[in-house]
Amino acid sequence: MCGIVGIARLGERPLPDAFVLRRMMSTIQYRGPDDSGEFLSDDVQLGVVRLSIQDPKNGAQPVFSCSGESVAVYNGEVYNAHALRQRLLRDGHRIGSQCDSELLPHLYEEHGIEMVNELRGMFAFSIWDNREKRLFFARDRMGIKPLYYARMNDFLLFASEVKAIIASGMIDPEIDLDSLDDLFSMSYPCPPRTMFKEILEIPPAHILNVRTQTREVAKVRYWESPTPPAGSHSRISRAEAAEELRSLLRLRVYDHTMADSPVAAYLSGGLDSSAICGLMKEVYGDPPETFTVSFESAAYDEYPNALEVVEFLDSPNHVLHCGARMAEDLERMVWHTELPLQFPLALPMIALAGLAKTNGYPVVLSGDGADELMGGYDCFRGDKMRRMLDRPGLRFLRPLVYRQLYKWLQMPEGAVDGIIENQLSARQIQQNYGGIIPPWYDVWTTVGVDRQRLLGFSGRLIRDVREAPVGFSDLLPSDIGRMHPLDAGIALEQRTRLPAWILLIGDRASMAEGVEARVPFLDQDVVEFMASMPPSFKMQGLQEKAILRQCTSSLMPKSTNIRQKRPFFTPIREWFFSESEPEFVRDELSPERLRATGLFDPGLVAAYRREIRVVPERSLMRNRLEWTLFLILQTQIMQRLFVEARCLKSPLPPMAI
């Protein structure tokens, strides 16, 4: 796993001194602490920092084709590398290492840009074709590995992380106000936007083709999850599907554990991570070494659930104990995520990766992705309930059913009222969002307290949450109207929240400590298999991930297999906004600092800070105030680190290139 950067010349101006490229590399050195390399020419500059997982002694980058005319920098892991290497060797290519990175320029010489269809894995890479004067980028199908770019008049910059582009000094960083609007509704910028103007992500399953002499930049989707129209799913029986999924997952877990370094696993005690750990034991006979988070507060602690799995598998387990002292690392978290988070999830995840690395494990397997394949979140159950109660003769029951259901689920007081209100305007919402009600829409309407006043105090017009974000329609599959509603919601989830939030956090938290996190559930074969399955296999009644529960029942305790999904939450008020709040919170949210930043209404922020001290704990307003204040706090930190300091003052200790 690595970090890559580069600069391409699109005009007459010469490329900057190589020091600029090295400064970009230095900014993300933690992604590749083991080695670094660069390629310099009059047309492009490519740089890479390397985390050595496969063939540590012989895997230096950049890598070249036999002719020397194609050169690549690469971040990722290709799980069918062995088969590809054997084929290339038979065709006469000279390949000197066991690293998957070396295959890329050879595959490019064989297949051109169609080479991306040969790869199965997680990846983000760039190849410079000196003959064609073409710079070619590709990102994996699900967006597991990140890649960003910024186009200017005379140059194109790219990097694994936004901070490297900003650190070049060749772009004036500025918060994207459309993205800020999205943050206080969706909780992340609507892709492909980032939190910064003019810096975009290369979307998952896309290639970017740059002709440096003509300045032509073309973006093309190369893969799409093959979701069938409603009623056209596989005719396989449930028992056959469970057996096939178990076999497929076993193979993919085996692939994902191939490394020249030890491999461990994250274990939360939930269904998904427990399934991965159980499959690892089934494949190898011995249980994996596991790493688990525990919180001081029982309200957030899942360790008792994880302990059941640890004892069932007889797994060596390491526990990270999390408390309020973690709040002091918030600046570091924002530096790595480059995105304010609705919850401080990345704080324990960064520390957990550090614990794995300290114990000799630079590679871990994660259960991320299963929820996004099978509709595993409460919002998917809520959407099914909405459709059930929208039938003639049942609509009058909606308030009663929702109030009883959410009382049983112990939802915070006030949550049901907003959901019922959204139900009444469902058709208008569906029309505004291109024919679909996004699965997380109910949450989007609760994130920002008094959002219009908070963000629009300077007179700026703020997008109403009922209106789709800028660019949202471009994310919808062209055939979404033909899909079953559950499949449509899953397809949207895979193009939005999964890469823009879930996978972003997973990548940044692990790479912050130089750890490679692998996600077997998001292997191409598993994704395509689950896309073909009938919706009832994914959600049976209101039981989510039904087929996964069936096929992994023998791999974990029964209590784990049948337990309802519990979201991974972390404390906010207790860590950041209590009477003993950290000093940096007072500094960042002071009226003077807020006025200097100019993004939020200082009077409203002060009112929120007073109210959060007295609002009842089990209320929706408590949650909304926590989310709103926490997003404001992180945005203030991000403004200071990325815009004002231009990523030249890292909160991390320096690492030499």
Side-chain angles (χ1 to χ4, degrees):
M1 203 62 66
C2 305
I4 62 175
V5 302
I7 310 170
R9 183 165 66 97
L10 301 182
E12 298 301 320
R13 293 171 58 193
L15 289 167
D17 187 90
F19 169 76
V20 173
L21 183 78
R22 292 167 192 151
R23 186 167 61 199
M24 295 170 70
M25 294 162 62
S26 178
T27 308
I28 57 170
Q29 179 71 46
Y30 49 81
R31 293 188 70 93
D34 300 327
D35 195 11
S36 63
E38 60 189 45
F39 170 79
L40 306 175
S41 76
D42 291 339
D43 298 299
V44 297
Q45 298 176 350
L46 308 177
V48 60
V49 291
R50 182 184 178 220
L51 174 64
S52 303
I53 300 297
Q54 301 283 10
D55 197 357
K57 294 182 179 180
N58 301 306
Q61 292 191 53
V63 286
F64 296 83
S65 62
C66 296
S67 67
E69 292 293 334
S70 301
V71 55
V73 288
Y74 160 81
N75 169 34
E77 202 69 48
V78 173
Y79 300 117
N80 61 334
H82 178 74
L84 293 173
R85 182 180 293 106
Q86 295 306 308
R87 195 176 76 200
L88 288 168
L89 289 171
R90 285 196 302 269
D91 291 344
H93 290 264
R94 298 189 304 275
I95 300 173
S97 78
Q98 295 300 308
C99 273
D100 48 356
S101 57
E102 192 177 0
L103 305 179
L104 298 184
H106 297 276
L107 287 168
Y108 178 77
E109 288 204 336
E110 288 277 329
H111 303 284
I113 63 175
E114 298 297 323
M115 62 162 288
V116 71
N117 296 310
E118 304 294 315
L119 305 176
R120 183 173 59 78
M122 55 179 184
F123 52 81
F125 63 82
S126 176
I127 297 177
W128 168 245
D129 182 338
N130 190 53
R131 288 195 192 97
E132 297 289 331
K133 301 299 179 184
R134 171 166 65 189
L135 191 60
F136 163 57
F137 302 90
R139 190 172 173 207
D140 67 68
R141 292 164 181 82
M142 304 306 290
I144 304 167
K145 291 291 103 183
L147 192 55
Y148 302 92
Y149 71 102
R151 182 181 181 181
M152 304 148 63
N153 286 334
D154 294 313
F155 304 102
L156 183 140
L157 296 89
F158 72 89
S160 295
E161 296 186 15
V162 168
K163 64 177 65 66
I165 294 175
I166 294 175
S168 71
M170 299 173 67
I171 188 169
D172 291 324
E174 183 180 348
I175 298 291
D176 187 311
L177 296 182
D178 285 331
S179 295
L180 192 65
D181 290 356
D182 296 345
L183 185 67
F184 285 83
S185 54
M186 299 175 73
S187 302
Y188 52 85
C190 184
R193 282 185 281 107
T194 68
M195 287 302 299
F196 303 94
K197 289 183 69 172
E198 310 301 332
I199 302 179
L200 304 174
E201 69 165 12
I202 295 177
H206 277 72
I207 60 175
L208 193 72
N209 203 14
V210 180
R211 298 280 187 173
T212 58
Q213 291 184 328
T214 63
R215 303 189 183 191
E216 177 187 358
V217 178
K219 183 171 62 178
V220 179
R221 173 177 285 276
Y222 67 84
W223 176 87
E224 194 157 5
S225 181
T227 304
S232 301
H233 297 82
S234 172
R235 301 297 182 183
I236 192 171
S237 72
R238 190 182 298 271
E240 291 171 326
E243 183 179 352
E244 189 169 340
L245 179 59
R246 172 80 166 256
S247 177
L248 182 58
L249 287 172
R250 189 186 302 117
L251 288 171
R252 295 307 162 240
V253 164
Y254 175 79
D255 289 346
H256 282 63
T257 51
M258 292 294 97
D260 292 332
S261 304
V263 181
Y266 289 152
L267 175 63
S268 69
L271 174 68
D272 308 337
S273 64
S274 299
I276 294 298
C277 293
L279 287 161
M280 291 175 76
K281 181 175 181 177
E282 184 174 67
V283 168
Y284 290 103
D286 294 319
E289 202 146 333
T290 53
F291 293 84
T292 301
V293 168
S294 176
F295 289 97
E296 291 175 349
S297 170
Y300 302 96
D301 192 26
E302 291 186 81
Y303 182 64
N305 297 340
L307 187 59
E308 293 180 25
V309 183
V310 167
E311 293 173 348
F312 181 89
L313 297 176
D314 194 24
S315 168
N317 181 247
H318 304 266
V319 184
L320 175 74
H321 298 282
C322 302
R325 63 190 180 279
M326 272 196 164
E328 297 295 339
D329 289 329
L330 183 64
E331 182 178 74
R332 184 184 179 214
M333 186 192 91
V334 174
W335 176 254
H336 284 296
T337 60
E338 304 175 336
L339 170 70
L341 303 180
Q342 187 177 354
F343 316 99
L345 305 177
L347 282 175
M349 291 178 67
I350 291 171
L352 194 65
L355 183 62
K357 189 67 174 285
T358 300
N359 281 275
Y361 288 94
V363 182
V364 294
L365 265 56
S366 159
D368 283 350
D371 290 313
E372 290 77 14
L373 298 187
M374 308 180 204
Y377 296 111
D378 284 343
C379 62
F380 289 100
R381 283 200 293 267
D383 183 66
K384 185 171 185 178
M385 180 69 72
R386 177 189 60 77
R387 287 183 276 110
M388 290 168 58
L389 294 175
D390 197 38
R391 297 170 182 168
L394 294 179
R395 290 171 187 160
F396 76 97
L397 291 173
R398 286 185 296 201
L400 176 63
V401 171
Y402 273 114
R403 293 190 192 284
Q404 289 300 316
L405 177 64
Y406 282 88
K407 182 178 180 181
W408 175 67
L409 292 174
Q410 297 183 321
M411 295 291 286
E413 182 181 343
V416 177
D417 296 331
I419 292 171
I420 293 173
E421 182 180 341
N422 291 337
Q423 280 270 17
L424 298 176
S425 54
R427 285 176 175 76
Q428 185 61 53
I429 296 166
Q430 192 168 10
Q431 181 179 334
N432 293 349
Y433 278 83
I436 185 173
I437 298 177
W440 291 91
Y441 181 80
D442 288 333
V443 177
W444 293 357
T445 61
T446 64
V447 172
V449 177
D450 209 351
R451 179 173 169 274
Q452 301 286 336
R453 285 180 59 202
L454 175 68
L455 303 178
F457 74 102
S458 62
R460 182 171 70 89
L461 291 177
I462 308 301
R463 174 183 63 83
D464 192 298
V465 179
R466 290 169 294 187
E467 301 295 329
V470 175
F472 181 84
S473 61
D474 296 333
L475 300 172
L476 298 175
S478 58
D479 58 346
I480 196 167
R482 301 170 59 203
M483 296 179 186
H484 183 279
L486 176 60
D487 286 339
I490 288 172
L492 179 61
E493 181 83 350
Q494 291 177 5
R495 293 191 177 197
T496 53
R497 188 174 178 270
L498 175 62
W501 206 72
I502 296 292
L503 294 176
L504 181 147
I505 295 171
D507 172 81
R508 303 311 170 79
S510 60
M511 295 308 294
E513 294 288 351
V515 170
E516 179 175 298
R518 300 179 178 179
V519 282
F521 281 118
L522 295 181
D523 186 276
Q524 179 185 350
D525 291 347
V526 180
V527 173
E528 293 180 348
F529 177 80
M530 285 311 307
S532 72
M533 290 296 100
S536 62
F537 287 15
K538 302 164 192 173
M539 184 175 294
Q540 185 176 12
L542 293 177
Q543 177 68 74
E544 88 288 355
K545 293 181 287 194
I547 195 69
L548 181 62
R549 294 178 188 276
Q550 182 175 343
C551 82
T552 60
S553 60
S554 64
L555 299 176
M556 63 189 72
K558 182 178 180 180
S559 58
T560 305
N561 188 261
I562 65 174
R563 185 179 294 121
Q564 183 179 330
K565 179 178 177 61
R566 179 178 177 179
F568 179 43
F569 288 139
T570 45
I572 299 178
R573 180 187 178 278
E574 297 90 333
W575 285 8
F576 298 97
F577 304 115
S578 67
E579 289 75 7
S580 57
E581 66 185 12
E583 184 177 352
F584 74 85
V585 175
R586 292 190 290 273
D587 293 341
E588 295 290 355
L589 299 185
S590 68
E592 297 77 17
R593 176 72 184 139
L594 288 163
R595 280 193 290 270
T597 302
L599 297 173
F600 306 106
D601 185 326
L604 269 183
V605 174
Y608 297 160
R609 298 192 67 202
R610 290 190 298 270
E611 188 173 359
I612 200 171
R613 301 282 178 86
V614 298
V615 69
E617 183 174 350
R618 291 291 305 166
S619 68
L620 178 63
M621 183 52 71
R622 159 72 178 264
N623 292 343
R624 296 186 68 194
L625 286 167
E626 285 186 332
W627 300 336
T628 302
L629 277 171
F630 192 55
L631 289 173
I632 294 169
L633 174 62
Q634 294 170 89
T635 304
Q636 290 288 102
I637 294 172
M638 190 177 67
Q639 170 78 10
R640 173 167 52 81
L641 294 175
F642 289 80
V643 177
E644 296 168 14
R646 296 174 177 262
C647 295
L648 299 179
K649 295 181 180 179
S650 166
L652 309 179
M655 300 178 71
I657 285 285

